[in-house]
Structure formats: C-alpha cells, structure tokens
Amino acid sequence: MEDEALKLVLVGSVDHGKSTLIGRLFHDTDSLPEGKLEEIRAASEAEGKELEFGFVMDHLREERQRGMTIDTAQTFFSTERRQYVIIDAPGHKEFLKNMISGASQAEAALLICSAHEGVEEQTRRHAYVLKLLGLSQTIVAYNKMDLVHYDRRRFEEVRSELLRFLDRIGISPALEIPISAKLGDNVAGRSANMPWYGGPTILEALDRFEKGPAPLEKPVRFPIQDVYELDGGQLAVGRVESGVLRRGAELTFLPTGRMRTVLNIRKFGEEDLAEAPAGECIGVIFDRDDVQRGEVGCPPGETARQAVSFQASIFWMARAPLQAGEELSVRCSTQERVCRVSAIRERVDSSTLEHLEHNAAALQETEVGEVTISTDSPIVLESFTDVPELGRFVLVRGCDVVAGGIVTAPEAGA
Amino acid sequence: MDRLTELENRSIYIIREAYHQFGRLAALWSVGKDSTALVWLCKKAFFGDVPFPVVHIDTSYKFPEMYSFRDEMVARWGLDLIVARNEEALARGVGPHEGSKLNCCTELKTNALKQCIAEYGFEGLLLAIRRDEHGIRAKERYFSPRDRQFRWNYEDQPPELWDQYTSEVDEEFHLRVHPLLEWRELDVWLYVRRENLPVNPLYFARDGKRYRSLGCKTCCSPVQSNASTVDEIIEEIRTGRTAERAGRAQDKEDAYTMQKLRALGYM
C-alpha cells in the first residue's frame, strides 16, 4: 500500500460538489482523523450551515463563508490497493489558475457534473484544461442525484450532453457514475436509490485507474539542472527525464552539440552507479567540464529537436492580456529563453471551444491560443506525448508565470 | 521507483532549484523530525555538505532535549547554525503565559524570523511544512512568495505548473520553498527508518506517552502512546486515527488561528 501513490484531481464547475465528495469519501471510509468531524460540525454551525463535508478541504475562513473553494489543496487517502493524493481544485472561473496549478500535478482526473444544474461553462472549461494537460484517464461523477429524485432519464440527459462535448475534445471517460456526494449514494457504498445503475462506486472506481509506466524504453533525456564544483572538477546535476542513463554512455548535448562521455554517476553515499533510470536526480562527471544548466543530453542519433520557432497551445492566466509580439520568457525543463508569441493563429473560448478570432492581436485571461512562439536562441523540445517534461512550458512576464503551454509541433511550420 | 525514492527525488530537485535561484538561501530547522529530514535531504542534494546556513528559531521555551539534540547534530553533520531569537520581545517579558498564543507565536517565532532575514538578507527559505499537517498548509505552493511584512496572499497565489516554480520576485519579497510539501507524516517516519536518521528522543514513548509533534515545551502536550521505537511509531501512525498536531495548543485557540498566524508570516 505504501509503494504506490496515484495523484488524482477533482475538477468541475463551482458548487457541483467537488469538496463535498472528498469530505464524504473520507467520512464514509472512516478516514477522518479523530476530532475532525467535530471541528467541521462546529465550523459549519459557526457559519450557520448544516454539516458541510466540503469543510474537510475548504480550510480558509473565506472559503467557508463563501461556500466556495478558492485555492487548490491536497490531501491523502488510502485504499487496499494503494494511496491517493487527492487534489481539490476550485471551480469558479476567477480561480482558473489555481485549478490549473492543481491539475498540472495530477495523473488522473475525476470530473464532477451536477445532474441538477447540468453541464455548465466551467464544466466544459475544466474538461478542456484536462485535455490540454494530457490527462487522458478520466472518470465522470454525476452529482446531486438526490435533487433529481434519482431519475435515470435526467441522468441520461445530462450524460449525453456532456459526452457530446467530451467527444469533441477527444476525452472518453472510463466510467460514469451517478452519485449524491451529500448523502453518500454510490460514493463508498452502493446506492439503494438507483437500482438501474450497476456499475462501480466512486471508491471502487478509483482503484481502476492505472499508473503510467516509467518511460524507461525511450531514448535518454538528461537536462542539466546545475553544475557544482567537486574536487576542483565539475559535477553536473539533473534529473533523468526518460530512458536509462548508463556509465560510459556518450551523450550529445543540445543546443551546443558537444559530445561528452559519462565517466561517473553518483548520488550521495553511492559514488559510482552503473545506471540511473528516469526519475532519478543524480550527479554526473563527464570527460570534460563544460556543460551548463539548460543543456539537454541525448544519445547521438536519437536527439531531441531544437528550434527557434515552434507551435503550441497555451492557456492564458494573467489579468493583463497577452499582446502578440510582446517580450516574455519561456521556461521548459531547466531551459529559459527570451521569447515572443509571434502569432496567435487561433483565439479560442476555453468553454465553448468557439474560435473567436483568426490571427488575433491579443489573448484574454482564460482563453486558449493556438500560437507560434519564437525564441532568441535555439530551445530543445519534444512533442508533449513523447517526453512531457520537454513538451510543456510556462511563459513568464516580469516575475509572473502568465501562461502554461503544450508543444504541438516542435518546429515552425504552417 | 518506490514512493519514498520518488518523494526524495522530488525534494532534491526542488532544493537544487532553490539553490540555483537564490544567492542567499537558508533552511529553517526546528530540530523536529521533518526539518531534520529536510536538512538530510539538503546534505544528499549537495553530496554531503549543506552549502547554506540552517536557522533555528529559538523562542527560549523549547525542551532541553531539543537544544542538546540540536548541538549534537550541528557537530555531527557539520552545519552552519544561526540561532534566531527575538531578544527584544523576550526582554519585554513576552511568553506563553502572557496574552494570547497568537501573540506569543507571532513575537517569538515570526518576528524572530523577520529580524533574522533582515540581518542576513535571505532571499529564499527552505521550510519542512507538509500538506497533511494542517488544512491551511494543504493550500501551499512549493515556492510561495511573502512580502516584507511576511504576508501570505493566500487568496491570490501565483500559478505553479509542473516543475516550473515562481523563482523571481520583487525586491521586497522573499520566497518560502517547501520541498516536503507532498510528504505525509508516515512517509517521514518511513524515511527516518530507511535512512537511519537520528531523531529527538522526545518522540519515543516514556511512561505511556510520547510527543508526536514538537514545538515549545509550554504549548505541546504528549499523546498516549507506547511506541518506543521507529518501527512502533510507524505501526501506530498506520493504524491510528489521532491527528498529528492534536497536542499543539496553537491550533486550538480558535478554528482559524493557524490561518491568521500564517497570513502574518508564520511557518
């Protein structure tokens, strides 16, 4: 049970019951620490509310007063199969950047849509963000079935509307579960109120997610994070992002093109490792001391791409709009370059998917852009599906992260 | 890769990012299990020597065992220790027996840290807080900016995507960096066992009681426990339901004391 942890994000529109579902799941599986239920009950009463399961996650006083999650939070949960890191994400449009921050840490997603309110603007927007972030493992919970008298027709109605949208963006949910988070139907225990539903509960559904395998079969990508002095020489540190780095291997470093040989791989207390698989943070001594932060080591003949111009999807998270051509910087893995969004080819409403404008001059907060980005010097990239760490990036304006992005084509082009 | 190795790698990556980013970096070391694990992770990140100071915020109300453990570890791990005390407030008689806990923690911890930052000019601080300790800490980012007054703008935190962290801030800010944010209490103890890390003897049960979370002597109560070894503590946490900070008085004063303390710059 301690050997595996899956990170799961809960997304969906404000007030569709994400925090409540987490609270209910904890309560019904006896996972709340002693005293927690009493604390929540007292805090609920202090705000003049019935017992509010959402308070398990909503800990800010402002959140409890407004009955709305403001920022993402994480908690832990265990089943017989494994542990879960549960990431709660705010549903309100104002806090989209917080939702994206939470979702960017996840490996799987649970999308909540109220059967009472139906599919809303933020339901669609969150689903689209999941798609952009590459979170393909998704289940959908249709909440508040109690408010629609556990009616199967209403469930099917909302379900078919949501499925039409998910189909457009290319998400096919593994499971769809009608629930009442508030009353506990199909959360940890099967509901007697919906005999027409024969599928798993939320609790059972969690264990059906699979963790993606470590990318050990792929060519090595070793971005240098920093270089330390060691006995008068250099020790280059970094994390192996894909493949297995082996002692004696030759690496081509991009974008400089220099070739270096791995003489020694080490961690503290392990001075001479034969190999380091993807995910390991290691130190490496090369045959020459000249690599720098931001260079990416690859096997010769199987190198990553490099470009001064590439295509990407970005989601804009700052209040001040993006102006095409303004100077920003792009950070991808440990690389940083001065850049410009040289073209906003499509400006897209992230909820309706409506293409608002072709060759736009600006991108507003919460909008998605299909863009071309130009850098002042070559940047090393991969397509997101090959090596995610080299296929995703943030844009920075001044000191602020203003956009997240996914590389769609690691070269300029149409 | 097993879960502990995954957590260790992530923490080391974050520590190295912080060190790359900040010329003046320090680690806060309360001498408890979490921050001792943090200092160990720093040793591992830099292959043996921690290349920046560790700061102990000393309220003068800590347990005697904490001071002796601190001095022993400084010698054993070759640490550059800074002791931060708000001497001015102590001279005024500020203490846990006068006024509110909120005021005492603010004066003797938060303000002591402010004075220390002003004196040494730290731009980045590594802290061993964890999300599972408290609902307010669950809201934290890995890299979290604080202004000169140490305020935490929890209603408008910067986005934090993947491994890209807020690394630069305006001059009047400093950044709190939280490499252990994703660790649970259980993970820390499993790590203590795996790495054979020294821990303060107060964590082990004597006469049916042990301290599960350490702070000031005046505001910490032991919990009922017979766990007198690391293995027994691990078993106790696995099977138990008591909250980790059940013995910490500062959490109890009112439901939002921790939020108020943290908004003012508390750890």
Side-chain angles (χ1 to χ4, degrees):
Chain A
M1 184 175 91
E2 264 115 34
D3 274 353
E4 189 178 284
L6 185 110
K7 295 181 192 170
L8 176 77
V9 66
L10 271 74
V11 300
S13 189
V14 63
D15 210 27
H16 282 215
K18 297 177 290 300
S19 304
T20 306
L21 174 57
I22 297 172
R24 173 52 83 172
L25 195 58
F26 273 65
H27 177 261
D28 289 3
T29 53
D30 233 359
S31 308
L32 289 173
E34 223 168 73
K36 187 75 184 176
L37 190 63
E38 291 69 31
E39 185 210 307
I40 297 164
R41 185 167 283 133
S44 304
E45 278 169 20
E47 302 299 339
K49 297 179 178 184
E50 284 176 61
L51 181 62
E52 188 57 77
F53 283 110
F55 284 8
V56 172
M57 295 302 284
D58 289 341
H59 236 278
L60 295 173
R61 174 164 228 167
E62 293 79 355
E63 293 179 318
R64 291 179 171 182
Q65 284 170 340
R66 292 166 73 178
M68 168 197 296
T69 306
I70 292 173
D71 210 332
T72 180
Q74 297 190 11
T75 187
F76 301 84
F77 180 76
S78 296
T79 63
E80 289 294 309
R81 179 170 177 196
R82 64 179 158 218
Q83 328 163 19
Y84 292 88
V85 179
I86 307 276
I87 307 171
D88 189 20
H92 197 279
K93 186 175 175 182
E94 184 189 342
F95 309 121
L96 186 68
K97 67 181 168 58
N98 297 338
M99 176 269 172
I100 293 173
S101 299
S104 81
Q105 304 295 328
E107 299 161 281
L110 199 159
L111 173 64
I112 298 189
C113 177
S114 164
H116 186 241
E117 283 91 348
V119 179
E120 296 198 86
E121 178 188 337
Q122 283 295 94
T123 316
R124 293 188 299 263
R125 181 171 284 117
H126 281 195
Y128 190 34
V129 168
L130 295 182
K131 175 64 187 173
L132 287 172
L133 292 173
L135 280 169
S136 51
Q137 288 198 74
T138 306
I139 59 180
V140 181
Y142 298 88
N143 192 21
K144 304 193 190 178
M145 287 303 295
D146 53 311
L147 294 185
V148 298
H149 314 291
Y150 303 103
D151 178 23
R152 183 177 194 168
R153 265 186 317 189
R154 176 62 187 162
F155 166 73
E156 292 295 347
E157 194 177 285
V158 178
R159 175 172 177 257
S160 73
E161 185 189 348
L162 185 59
L163 283 183
R164 269 199 307 277
F165 181 82
L166 294 179
D167 188 54
R168 271 178 74 194
I169 58 176
I171 290 182
S172 52
L175 289 165
E176 297 175 275
I177 309 173
I179 65 165
S180 166
K182 192 176 169 197
L183 301 179
D185 296 272
N186 289 335
V187 176
R190 201 159 296 281
S191 169
N193 296 314
M194 290 176 276
W196 47 266
Y197 173 75
T201 61
I202 295 287
L203 186 62
E204 291 162 345
L206 293 182
D207 282 349
R208 298 201 187 178
F209 282 120
E210 293 299 332
K211 257 181 105 74
L216 301 177
E217 307 301 320
K218 294 184 174 172
V220 168
R221 297 292 180 257
F222 182 56
I224 303 297
Q225 186 180 11
D226 210 343
V227 177
Y228 303 147
E229 219 186 275
L230 180 86
D231 306 328
Q234 275 192 355
L235 182 64
V237 300
R239 182 173 59 203
V240 182
E241 301 294 11
S242 64
V244 179
L245 185 67
R246 295 195 164 84
R247 185 202 299 137
E250 285 216 313
L251 293 180
T252 299
F253 278 92
L254 298 180
T256 54
R258 46 183 154 221
M259 288 257 277
R260 297 291 170 257
T261 305
V262 175
L263 297 185
N264 179 283
I265 302 176
R266 58 174 63 186
K267 295 174 81 169
F268 176 60
E270 296 166 278
E271 304 284 290
D272 190 15
L273 293 162
E275 56 176 48
E280 289 281 6
C281 285
I282 50 166
V284 178
I285 299 172
F286 293 105
D287 56 338
R288 285 180 58 182
D289 291 336
D290 53 6
V291 297
Q292 290 173 8
R293 175 176 167 100
E295 287 185 72
V296 182
C298 313
E302 289 181 291
T303 56
R305 294 320 159 98
Q306 50 181 326
V308 290
S309 184
F310 61 96
Q311 319 232 343
S313 302
I314 62 170
F315 29 90
W316 190 252
M317 298 184 288
R319 279 172 206 124
L322 164 71
Q323 306 293 340
E326 74 170 299
E327 189 177 294
L328 302 165
S329 55
V330 55
R331 289 198 207 136
C332 172
S333 180
T334 59
Q335 311 174 88
E336 181 160 8
R337 303 281 186 275
V338 173
C339 76
R340 288 180 169 74
V341 175
S342 46
I344 303 171
R345 299 190 314 277
E346 298 291 342
R347 184 178 140 229
V348 183
D349 182 309
S350 54
S351 177
T352 60
L353 306 185
E354 186 188 345
H355 284 227
L356 302 169
E357 202 178 350
H358 193 64
N359 284 327
L363 205 59
Q364 308 290 329
E365 188 176 10
T366 78
E367 287 177 353
V368 166
E370 298 297 329
V371 301
T372 305
I373 295 175
S374 307
T375 53
D376 66 340
S377 63
I379 184 166
V380 182
L381 301 167
E382 292 274 12
S383 87
F384 177 74
T385 43
D386 286 344
V387 185
E389 286 76 11
L390 285 165
R392 61 196 185 197
F393 59 88
V394 294
L395 297 178
V396 180
R397 178 198 268 157
C399 298
D400 304 326
V401 170
V402 285
I406 300 295
V407 175
T408 49
E411 59 269 319
Chain B
M1 191 177 290
D2 65 273
R3 167 87 175 142
L4 275 188
T5 308
E6 218 174 85
L7 288 171
E8 180 187 64
N9 275 307
R10 175 110 201 227
S11 299
I12 287 177
Y13 190 87
I14 291 168
I15 291 165
R16 286 175 178 162
E17 279 300 282
Y19 182 63
H20 169 75
Q21 211 55 54
F22 307 112
R24 278 159 299 175
L25 179 68
L28 290 197
W29 182 41
S30 74
V31 200
K33 65 187 189 312
D34 303 310
S35 59
T36 302
L38 171 66
V39 175
W40 176 249
L41 285 160
C42 291
K43 279 174 73 68
K44 291 192 94 165
F46 304 105
F47 303 90
D49 292 314
V50 181
F52 41 76
V54 296
V55 175
H56 180 224
I57 300 176
D58 180 13
T59 59
S60 82
Y61 291 100
K62 302 289 175 187
F63 294 87
E65 290 89 337
M66 294 176 78
Y67 295 104
S68 54
F69 181 78
R70 178 189 78 188
D71 296 338
E72 193 187 310
M73 292 308 296
V74 165
R76 195 196 304 192
W77 283 355
L79 303 172
D80 172 10
L81 175 73
I82 295 174
V83 175
R85 279 165 72 114
N86 187 348
E87 298 290 0
E88 178 273 323
L90 286 170
R92 265 193 288 126
V94 172
H97 309 296
E98 300 294 321
S100 69
K101 308 253 183 265
L102 181 77
N103 182 57
C104 185
C105 278
T106 301
E107 287 276 20
L108 299 186
K109 292 184 180 172
T110 311
N111 291 346
L113 178 60
K114 274 185 190 168
Q115 293 162 3
C116 175
I117 291 193
E119 184 178 346
Y120 292 90
F122 293 123
E123 301 159 314
L125 288 176
L126 298 166
L127 274 73
I129 65 164
R130 307 188 332 268
R131 285 194 175 115
D132 79 331
E133 282 177 280
H134 196 282
I136 289 299
R137 287 180 173 167
K139 298 271 175 193
E140 269 289 0
R141 302 282 197 258
Y142 286 104
F143 282 56
S144 176
R146 299 299 144 98
D147 68 9
R148 196 189 295 276
Q149 282 76 44
F150 267 36
R151 280 180 300 226
W152 177 37
N153 189 1
Y154 54 79
E155 285 198 89
D156 191 16
Q157 298 196 71
E160 185 169 79
L161 275 64
W162 309 301
D163 291 322
Q164 300 296 341
Y165 307 107
T166 302
S167 55
E168 293 163 75
V169 284
D170 293 334
E171 240 173 58
E172 68 267 30
F173 283 75
H174 75 272
L175 272 158
R176 301 272 175 95
V177 180
H178 305 129
L180 268 69
L181 207 50
E182 208 185 311
W183 295 54
R184 299 169 304 162
E185 181 189 20
L186 179 59
D187 298 319
V188 173
W189 283 108
L190 290 167
Y191 193 65
V192 163
R193 178 164 74 183
R194 192 183 86 172
E195 303 288 302
N196 201 14
L197 294 182
V199 286
N200 197 303
L202 291 166
Y203 286 112
F204 301 111
R206 263 185 306 192
D207 306 325
K209 283 180 177 178
R210 74 176 193 92
Y211 289 90
R212 195 157 156 197
S213 172
L214 286 178
C216 293
K217 189 172 182 186
T218 45
C219 295
C220 275
S221 321
V223 294
Q224 304 274 347
S225 169
N226 290 312
S228 59
T229 63
V230 174
D231 283 338
E232 286 170 6
I233 290 176
I234 288 171
E235 198 44 41
E236 179 186 280
I237 297 170
R238 269 191 187 137
T239 52
R241 299 234 347 241
T242 321
E244 181 182 6
R245 292 175 65 90
R248 297 296 288 268
Q250 90 228 102
D251 297 16
K252 305 255 152 62
E253 207 167 53
D254 90 46
Y256 303 102
T257 297
M258 194 65 163
Q259 175 175 348
K260 290 176 195 159
L261 272 169
R262 299 208 79 235
L264 295 170
Y266 184 78
M267 288 63 75

